[in-house]
Amino acid sequence: MPKQRTGGIKELGNGTFQVRVSYIGSDGKRHERLKKNIDTKTQARKVLRDFLDGLDERGDKAVEGDKLVFRRLARLFEVHHVFEAQYVGDRKVAGLRSVAPVKTCLKALSVHFGNSLVKEINTGDIQKFKLKRLNTPTVRSGQRSIAAVNRELAVLRRLFNFAIENRWVNETPFSRSQLISSADESCRDRILSFTEETRLLTACSEARSHLRPLILTALDTGCRFGELIKLRWRDIDMYSEIITILAFNTKTAESRLVAMTPRVKEELIKLLEMSSGKSDALVFGIDKGIRRSWNTACRIAGLENLRFHDLRHTAITRFVATGLPSAEIMRISGHRQANTFLRYVNPKADALKRAALLLSQHNTQQSETIHVSSAAIN
């Protein structure tokens, strides 16, 4: 029976070395791997050892991995993983809820790494990519955020994991270094004051009247924009005043219930009276973005640096101000991790002053207690 694999090193006439490995593939045929012009014998021994170890550990996949360039890896990943989500009931079983952002990340990664061999991409290469992206302006000529680059790095990490799953490589650069640090991301702390809220709602008239019920519901439930625009009338229970956020509409793939405030119920009743009455009709009648009308409303209201997602920050901050326990607020907002939830809690100046006052009162009480105790001893 012929040997499954053999290999050797040969010195060439120009003073360099070559490594040749012969092996029987999964097709039952004998194949060869050859690498020439290696500078030293020590390097040649390492190449030979890597060839043989790869064949032992990953078989033909090691050979495929040696030739795999990044652009092809990205295409394969896109075919197998980047497609619209598929559901069984209300559970996602395959695909992605948001395809476009991942495709945008893949494009940026492919432009940078292109025809680089996947197995040769190291932490230094990824650090260079990270710095390059941070220094590349956005499409609107703004500063690219650390959070945006981190999202691209997260996709890159998933690509390497995909390569490992298919045995094209045996390790990922992300296992050796902390290349993604969410601690470096700047957290938004923009919340809407009640005065600003009044101005914003006043600006939601005429061509922008469709924003009013959406904004009020976001402010009083803490729901995400994507969760709200996907609401259908079958998800609304006017009698119990409960809104059901279905699992396949949430970021965490978990359903939850939120209650209506009186003003939200009033707005929803108005919308229901104007709707077709069909249970599968969209509650807010919006199936795409609202950027233009939102920007116009903010400009009329004189509000700067306000995003729709800031309404979620505002809602959660207001929930905290009511004194509700954090665990209950997290169930309402749909947060699973406390550290993520805390990023949304933005205390106002009056809350901070109240905390300082309470601390001062506590310190004073403790000092007086110690003073009285010392006097009694003396």
Side-chain angles (χ1 to χ4, degrees):
M1 181 177 179
K3 291 184 178 180
Q4 294 294 309
R5 59 168 183 77
T6 58
I9 299 171
K10 180 180 178 182
E11 185 173 359
L12 303 178
N14 59 3
T16 63
F17 298 83
Q18 76 171 22
V19 172
R20 184 188 300 273
V21 171
S22 173
Y23 67 96
I24 297 176
S26 58
D27 57 2
K29 299 179 181 179
R30 184 163 288 280
H31 302 269
E32 284 192 345
R33 299 175 71 186
L34 180 67
K35 186 168 184 178
K36 298 181 179 180
N37 300 320
I38 303 172
D39 292 332
T40 67
K41 195 167 187 178
T42 299
Q43 291 175 335
R45 288 195 185 101
K46 183 179 184 308
V47 170
L48 176 60
R49 184 169 62 253
D50 290 345
F51 274 3
L52 297 177
D53 289 347
L55 287 169
D56 289 342
E57 295 171 3
R58 294 176 280 123
D60 289 357
K61 291 290 186 177
V63 182
E64 294 177 26
D66 282 346
K67 302 175 183 178
L68 184 64
V69 297
F70 186 87
R71 200 181 303 278
R72 174 163 172 73
L73 174 64
R75 285 199 297 267
L76 290 170
F77 177 79
E78 188 170 350
V79 169
H80 287 88
H81 293 285
V82 187
F83 50 86
E84 294 294 336
Q86 298 178 7
Y87 298 91
V88 173
D90 63 350
R91 290 292 174 181
K92 183 173 74 71
V93 294
L96 302 172
R97 288 185 174 83
S98 299
V99 170
V102 177
K103 286 190 174 183
T104 300
C105 292
L106 286 174
K107 183 178 179 181
L109 291 165
S110 296
V111 167
H112 182 85
F113 292 106
N115 292 321
S116 300
L117 288 173
V118 174
K119 70 170 188 174
E120 294 182 356
I121 297 173
N122 56 39
T123 55
D125 298 324
I126 297 174
Q127 289 285 10
K128 289 178 183 177
F129 167 79
K130 183 177 181 179
L131 290 175
K132 181 180 178 181
R133 292 298 288 164
L134 286 171
N135 291 319
T136 302
T138 64
V139 292
R140 294 184 177 83
S141 301
Q143 171 62 53
R144 192 174 301 276
S145 69
I146 294 176
V149 177
N150 278 348
R151 285 192 289 272
E152 293 173 346
L153 293 176
V155 172
L156 179 59
R157 180 173 57 191
R158 182 66 189 91
L159 280 167
F160 271 102
N161 289 337
F162 174 65
I164 289 175
E165 291 165 7
N166 285 278
R167 302 176 69 194
W168 292 318
V169 297
N170 57 9
E171 66 176 353
T172 166
F174 289 89
S175 65
R176 294 176 176 268
S177 179
Q178 184 68 29
L179 294 168
I180 303 176
S181 176
S182 58
D184 294 332
E185 298 179 13
S186 57
C187 300
R188 283 184 65 82
D189 58 1
R190 180 69 164 95
I191 59 174
L192 203 64
S193 70
F194 287 101
T195 301
E196 289 177 324
E197 176 188 316
T198 300
R199 285 167 24 209
L200 179 60
L201 292 174
T202 301
C204 296
S205 58
E206 299 177 353
R208 296 166 300 282
S209 59
H210 63 291
L211 292 179
R212 180 182 173 85
L214 189 65
I215 290 171
L216 281 173
T217 307
L219 283 170
D220 286 6
T221 64
C223 289
R224 302 174 179 90
F225 175 75
E227 296 169 344
L228 292 175
I229 65 169
K230 293 174 185 176
L231 278 177
R232 300 183 185 275
W233 286 112
R234 59 172 173 260
D235 306 324
I236 307 296
D237 188 337
M238 290 293 188
Y239 179 77
S240 62
E241 301 178 346
I242 293 295
I243 300 171
T244 300
I245 310 298
L246 300 178
F248 56 76
N249 290 337
T250 70
K251 186 177 180 180
T252 58
E254 292 183 354
S255 63
R256 69 181 192 277
L257 303 176
V258 294
M260 306 175 198
T261 59
R263 65 175 182 172
V264 167
K265 184 176 181 179
E266 181 181 346
E267 292 294 329
L268 293 180
I269 289 174
K270 291 178 183 177
L271 288 177
L272 183 59
E273 290 172 349
M274 294 186 294
S275 74
S276 63
K278 294 182 179 179
S279 64
D280 62 345
L282 293 171
V283 172
F284 296 101
I286 299 171
D287 57 2
K288 56 183 178 181
I290 57 168
R291 175 174 291 175
R292 180 175 297 180
S293 54
W294 171 263
N295 289 340
T296 302
C298 289
R299 177 175 53 79
I300 293 173
L303 301 177
E304 296 181 356
N305 189 32
L306 182 68
R307 302 175 187 173
F308 191 91
H309 196 70
D310 295 330
L311 304 183
R312 178 168 163 84
H313 286 251
T314 302
I316 295 173
T317 301
R318 290 179 180 179
F319 276 129
V320 172
T322 66
L324 274 174
S326 295
E328 291 185 26
I329 301 174
M330 288 173 65
R331 281 195 288 270
I332 295 169
S333 63
H335 284 108
R336 288 191 290 186
Q337 302 294 329
N339 58 341
T340 306
F341 165 74
L342 290 174
R343 293 173 64 182
Y344 284 81
V345 179
N346 302 304
K348 295 182 182 179
D350 57 350
L352 296 173
K353 290 178 181 178
R354 187 169 64 253
L357 176 61
L358 291 173
L359 178 61
S360 177
Q361 291 174 348
H362 170 76
N363 292 342
T364 300
Q365 290 173 356
Q366 293 300 313
S367 297
E368 290 176 350
T369 300
I370 294 173
H371 179 73
V372 170
S373 298
S374 299
I377 292 173
N378 293 332

